[in-house]
Amino acid sequence: MTPIPTLIVPTPEDKEVHKKFMRAALDMAETALRTDEVPVGCVFVHDGQIIGRGMNDTNRSLCGTRHAEFIAIESILRSHPAEIFSETDLYVTVEPCVMCASALRQLRIRRVFFGCLNDRFGGCGGVLKIHEGPGTDPRYPCYGGINHDEAIMLLRRFYIQENERAPQPLAKKSRTLKTEVLPFGEGFPRDRNFGNKKREMVKSVEDALAMQQLELSNGVPTPSPSTAPTSLKAAGEVHA
Amino acid sequence: MIPKPTGTLVPIRTRAEIRAALQTVNCYIIPIPAKAANELILALRDVVPLHELQHLRRLSRPAFIPVAVAANLPPTQFPPEQSILYILICTTDKAPIQQIVDVAAKISPFQRKHGRRITPKPQVSIITVPANMPTSQEQSDLWSKKYWPVVYKRGNPFGPHPSLVENTQMKLTRAHEYMEIAWKVAHEVADIGIGHRCGAVVVNPDTGDVIAAAGDARSRTNESGWCYPLAHPVMRLVEMVAQKRLKRGEVVSPNNPITPLTETERKYLNSESMESLDGREAQKEAQKAAQKEDQKEAQKESKTDGTSEDASPPMANYLCHNMHIYLTHEPCVMCSMALLHSRVGIVVFQHRMVNSGALVSEFDGGLGHGLFWRPDLNWKYLTWQWQNDTPHTRNEVPDNISA
C-alpha cells in the first residue's frame, strides 16, 4: 500500500478550529448541491477571519474553470491585494484540482486544508503533487482528511441526482446512495501503479482510437465512453 | 505591414513516451552457426517459449551488431568460413546464465566432432537493449545503431498514434494565421501595459473561425487598485468562450467580469463565430431526434427489451470541446489544466517556458508534467510547438513567470 500522500492535520493548532472552518466550507458545498452544482465549497481564512467563500459554479457559468477556489479568490481580490494570500489558509471540502493547486501556488497561499481526495484530477496528492516539487513559486503544505466523510457524502448525493446539463446522461436510475466510507487515503492511488504498464498501454491505445474515430467522422464529435465529460464532476465514481 | 510568419509544427512527445524510451533491459545473446540457429531456438523452448521482445530482431548477422556492442563480445570459436548468426535469447531475469549455457551445450555445433581441432563452447553474453518499442522510425534507426537491430512497427502505445498526429497536423494549414492573431493580441496588451507579451486564440475546429482571442492581463488593476495575478491569456480565453455561450445578462464571473481589453479581443468577443457551432448543433439534434424515432419504431417491431440508453446530447456546445488553441507561450500548470477541464482538442504553442510550462515532458530541466496526454488524467489533447523565427514573435517574457 502506497503511503497516503498527505497527513491528517499535524498542526499544533486545535483540531476544532480546522473543523469549524471546514464546516463553513461544507455549508458552501451544501449550497452548491442545492443549485445543481458539484458540491465543492471553500473558505479562505486570514487572521482567524473568513475573507472569502466560494462554491463550484461550472454548470451555471458553462465554464470548466469556475471552481470554488476561483470564485473565492476573485471576491477576495476585489478588495485585497494578492499579497494577502501568503498569510491566508484555504479550507476546501475536496482536494484542489491540478489547476487550482497551481493557482494557489502562484498566489503563494500559506496552507491548504481539505476534506477528501480527488482521484480524477487532484493536484495535491490525489493524482499529481502540484503543491510541492519544482516550480517558480514557493511550495505550500497541504493537510487532508478534515470532515472527510461529510465531503464524500455530499459528492455521492450529487451523483445520484439527475444532471440535465451533462452532455452524456449515464444510467443513474440504478444508482443507490452508499453510506460506508473508506478511511481517508485508503484506496489511493487507484489504478495508478506505473508498473501496470499493460493496462496503461491498452488505455492509451483505446483513447487514440477514440480520438481517431472523432477525426474520421469529419470533425463531428461523437462522445465516446473513454472521453466522458467528467470535468463537471469532482471525485466521480464512474470509471471509463 | 507585418510579414507573414512561416513556421513548422513539431509534435510534443508524451511523458510516458519519453520515459518508455529511457527504459532498457539486459538480454542474453549467443553466436551460433546459421544452420544450427533453429535447433538452438527449439532447444531453448523450455526456457523461452516465445520471443517476447517483439521490437528486437531475434537473429542478427555479426555485421548488424553495433560496433560498440561488438567490441565487448568475445571472439567466436567457430571457423571463419562458417556463417554465424547471433541469437537474442531472452531477458536476463528469465533464467540464470548457466541454464542457457547448459541447454545450448547439448546441441550439435557444441559436440565433439571427428576431425575438428577445437570443440566450441557456448558463449552467452549479456547486452543492454531498449525495453519498449520505438515510437518513430528515427528512434528505431538510432537504437539499431546503438543497441541491437530494432524492428519499427508504426504505432505508439505511449501516446497518440503516429497516423493520428500526422493526419491532424496536415489539417492545421492555417496555424500561421491564428498564431499571428495570438501575437497581435499579445502586443496589444503589452503595449498598453496590462500584461506580459503573451496571447491566446481559440478556433472553431469545424469552420476555422476564430471564436475568441485573449491577451495577458495580470497587471491590470481594478477599481481598488489591485491586480488579478491569475488573468493569464488561457484563463481569460476559456472564460470568453463561456461568456459567448451564456444568455444575455448572465456573466461568467460576476466578481471579475470578462471584458475585452483591446481592439482584437473586442472584435472576436463580439463576433458571431459561436453561431456556427450552435447552428450545427440544432441540425444535429434534429437528426438525432429523427434517428431516435426510427430506433423506437424498430424496437417496437422487434420487441427488444429496450435496454439501449438514450442517445447522448451533442458535445459541441459543451465547454471548449475539441476546439483548437493557439498560444504564443507554453501554458503553466494552471492554464494547461484549464484547457484539459475545458476538453480542448488541440493546442499549438510557440515559446517553450522551461521553468513554468506544463505541456512539454522532456527532461530538459523543466517540470516534465506533459499534462496534455497523461493516462492518469481524464482528458487528453494533441500538442504541437510552432517553430518560427520572425522578429515580432521573439520571446520577450521573463523566464520565471507562468504564461
Side-chain angles (χ1 to χ4, degrees), chain B residues 1-241:
Chain B
M1 180 70 194
I2 302 165
K4 254 200 173 174
T6 44
T8 44
L9 288 163
V10 180
I12 298 295
R13 295 200 296 160
T14 69
R15 193 168 180 272
E17 192 176 335
I18 288 166
R19 261 141 229 260
L22 293 171
Q23 281 176 356
T24 55
V25 283
N26 289 334
C27 277
Y28 298 124
I29 58 166
I30 183 172
I32 188 105
K35 280 183 233 160
N38 216 29
E39 192 187 345
L40 179 60
I41 290 173
L42 286 172
L44 282 166
R45 201 160 262 182
D46 290 337
V47 189
V48 197
L50 278 171
H51 178 47
E52 283 180 341
L53 299 163
Q54 287 288 324
H55 61 287
L56 301 172
R57 296 215 179 270
R58 189 83 202 257
L59 301 165
S60 171
R61 286 205 269 150
F64 292 141
I65 292 182
V67 180
V69 176
N72 292 325
L73 300 175
T76 63
Q77 296 165 347
F78 300 105
E81 68 274 11
Q82 211 162 14
S83 152
I84 300 291
L85 286 177
Y86 278 86
I87 301 186
L88 184 83
I89 300 168
C90 62
T91 52
T92 51
D93 58 344
K94 288 282 181 303
I97 192 160
Q98 194 54 48
Q99 192 183 350
I100 307 288
V101 172
D102 292 346
V103 172
K106 287 183 190 132
I107 67 161
S108 58
F110 303 111
Q111 305 306 318
R112 186 185 295 268
K113 225 188 249 175
H114 183 68
R116 192 157 63 176
R117 264 195 310 125
I118 320 161
T119 303
K121 288 198 169 61
Q123 293 171 300
V124 179
S125 305
I126 296 173
I127 60 162
T128 300
V129 293
N132 300 298
M133 63 183 275
T135 52
S136 69
Q137 187 63 54
E138 298 80 61
Q139 196 172 48
S140 170
D141 295 345
L142 195 76
W143 286 354
S144 293
K145 280 186 203 126
K146 195 177 169 193
Y147 300 104
W148 179 266
V150 171
V151 188
Y152 174 56
K153 291 189 189 115
R154 222 169 124 76
N156 182 3
F158 312 104
H161 194 277
S163 59
L164 173 67
V165 177
E166 281 163 26
N167 293 342
T168 314
Q169 187 173 330
M170 277 197 300
K171 289 182 205 148
L172 302 180
T173 48
R174 294 173 68 186
H176 64 278
E177 281 177 50
Y178 303 131
M179 285 307 295
E180 196 68 1
I181 299 168
W183 277 108
K184 194 172 174 208
V185 74
H187 291 309
E188 285 173 355
V189 291
D191 292 345
I192 54 174
I194 55 171
H196 292 293
R197 211 170 282 277
C198 305
V201 164
V202 54
V203 175
N204 179 334
D206 299 326
T207 60
D209 291 341
V210 173
I211 296 168
D216 189 51
R218 70 189 74 183
S219 316
R220 177 174 170 254
T221 49
N222 64 10
E223 63 278 9
S224 326
W226 312 124
C227 58
Y228 184 66
L230 305 179
H232 298 188
V234 167
M235 300 306 285
R236 298 189 63 234
L237 191 75
V238 166
E239 283 174 37
M240 284 182 185
V241 173

Side-chain angles (χ1 to χ4, degrees), chain A residues 28-70:
Chain A
M28 292 303 293
E30 283 277 0
T31 314
L33 186 67
R34 281 197 295 276
T35 52
D36 284 335
E37 293 286 349
V38 177
V40 180
C42 74
V43 295
F44 282 85
V45 177
H46 179 258
D47 273 346
Q49 298 292 315
I50 293 175
I51 57 165
R53 291 169 201 265
M55 60 173 228
N56 222 353
D57 191 34
T58 52
N59 291 346
R60 181 206 63 84
S61 66
L62 309 179
C63 184
T65 61
R66 309 307 300 158
H67 288 186
E69 292 91 332
F70 272 81

Side-chain angles (χ1 to χ4, degrees), chain A residues 9-126:
Chain A
V9 200
T11 56
E13 281 166 62
D14 192 357
K15 256 190 177 175
E16 293 310 306
V17 174
H18 298 308
K19 289 211 164 177
K20 183 183 92 185
F21 290 125
M22 191 56 85
R23 167 71 30 224
L26 284 162
D27 288 346
M28 292 303 293
E30 283 277 0
T31 314
L33 186 67
R34 281 197 295 276
T35 52
D36 284 335
E37 293 286 349
V38 177
V40 180
C42 74
V43 295
F44 282 85
V45 177
H46 179 258
D47 273 346
Q49 298 292 315
I50 293 175
I51 57 165
R53 291 169 201 265
M55 60 173 228
N56 222 353
D57 191 34
T58 52
N59 291 346
R60 181 206 63 84
S61 66
L62 309 179
C63 184
T65 61
R66 309 307 300 158
H67 288 186
E69 292 91 332
F70 272 81
I71 309 296
I73 289 167
E74 283 176 356
S75 82
I76 293 166
L77 287 174
R78 282 187 76 169
S79 45
H80 299 86
E83 286 73 32
I84 195 169
F85 287 103
S86 58
E87 295 160 7
T88 300
D89 296 333
L90 166 68
Y91 291 82
V92 58
T93 57
V94 180
E95 175 197 352
C97 78
V98 171
M99 172 184 74
C100 294
S102 171
L104 292 164
R105 190 161 168 175
Q106 292 184 36
L107 290 172
R108 298 165 180 252
I109 191 83
R110 187 171 69 175
R111 293 180 302 181
V112 169
F113 299 91
F114 63 83
C116 63
L117 286 163
N118 176 347
D119 74 336
R120 302 301 302 235
F121 35 76
C124 295

Side-chain angles (χ1 to χ4, degrees), chain A residues 60 66 75 77-78 81 97 102 106 121 128 134 167 169 192 197 204 207 212 215 219-220 223 227 229-231, chain B residues 132 157 163 171 206 222 224 228 232 251-253 255 280 313 315 318 332 334 337 341 343 374 378-380:
Chain A
R60 181 206 63 84
R66 309 307 300 158
S75 82
L77 287 174
R78 282 187 76 169
C97 78
S102 171
Q106 292 184 36
F121 35 76
L128 300 182
R192 211 157 285 123
K197 210 165 59 191
S204 55
D207 287 339
Q212 227 165 351
E215 284 299 312
V220 182
T227 55
T230 38
S231 80
Chain B
N132 300 298
S163 59
K171 289 182 205 148
D206 299 326
N222 64 10
S224 326
Y228 184 66
H232 298 188
V251 183
V252 172
S253 40
N255 276 320
R280 212 188 156 91
M315 291 279 279
Y318 176 66
C332 68
M334 170 179 73
M337 193 63 195
H341 279 319
R343 302 296 187 261
R374 288 183 65 118
N378 56 347
W379 184 256
K380 298 179 179 73

Side-chain angles (χ1 to χ4, degrees), chain A residues 64-234:
Chain A
T65 61
R66 309 307 300 158
H67 288 186
E69 292 91 332
F70 272 81
I71 309 296
I73 289 167
E74 283 176 356
S75 82
I76 293 166
L77 287 174
R78 282 187 76 169
S79 45
H80 299 86
E83 286 73 32
I84 195 169
F85 287 103
S86 58
E87 295 160 7
T88 300
D89 296 333
L90 166 68
Y91 291 82
V92 58
T93 57
V94 180
E95 175 197 352
C97 78
V98 171
M99 172 184 74
C100 294
S102 171
L104 292 164
R105 190 161 168 175
Q106 292 184 36
L107 290 172
R108 298 165 180 252
I109 191 83
R110 187 171 69 175
R111 293 180 302 181
V112 169
F113 299 91
F114 63 83
C116 63
L117 286 163
N118 176 347
D119 74 336
R120 302 301 302 235
F121 35 76
C124 295
V127 179
L128 300 182
K129 293 176 182 172
I130 301 300
H131 63 298
E132 52 183 48
T136 48
D137 304 296
R139 294 153 202 195
Y140 56 86
C142 245
Y143 309 105
I146 303 159
N147 297 36
H148 150 262
D149 297 7
E150 280 179 77
I152 286 186
M153 287 312 294
L154 274 168
L155 291 172
R156 286 194 184 158
R157 278 164 61 198
F158 176 77
Y159 291 124
I160 59 164
Q161 288 179 2
E162 283 295 334
N163 178 4
E164 80 280 3
R165 289 198 225 203
Q168 197 171 29
L170 299 152
K172 291 197 179 184
K173 281 162 207 157
S174 56
R175 290 190 184 183
T176 49
L177 184 61
K178 287 188 285 181
T179 48
E180 72 280 14
V181 173
L182 284 175
F184 176 71
E186 226 162 84
F188 274 84
R190 187 179 295 174
D191 295 343
R192 211 157 285 123
N193 183 1
F194 207 75
N196 195 355
K197 210 165 59 191
K198 197 174 167 196
R199 192 195 170 93
E200 190 182 309
M201 278 162 60
V202 168
K203 191 161 188 315
S204 55
V205 169
E206 276 171 4
D207 287 339
L209 288 174
M211 284 192 77
Q212 227 165 351
Q213 277 167 359
L214 290 184
E215 284 299 312
L216 289 176
S217 56
N218 200 15
V220 182
T222 349
S224 68
S226 62
T227 55
T230 38
S231 80
L232 299 185
K233 305 167 182 174

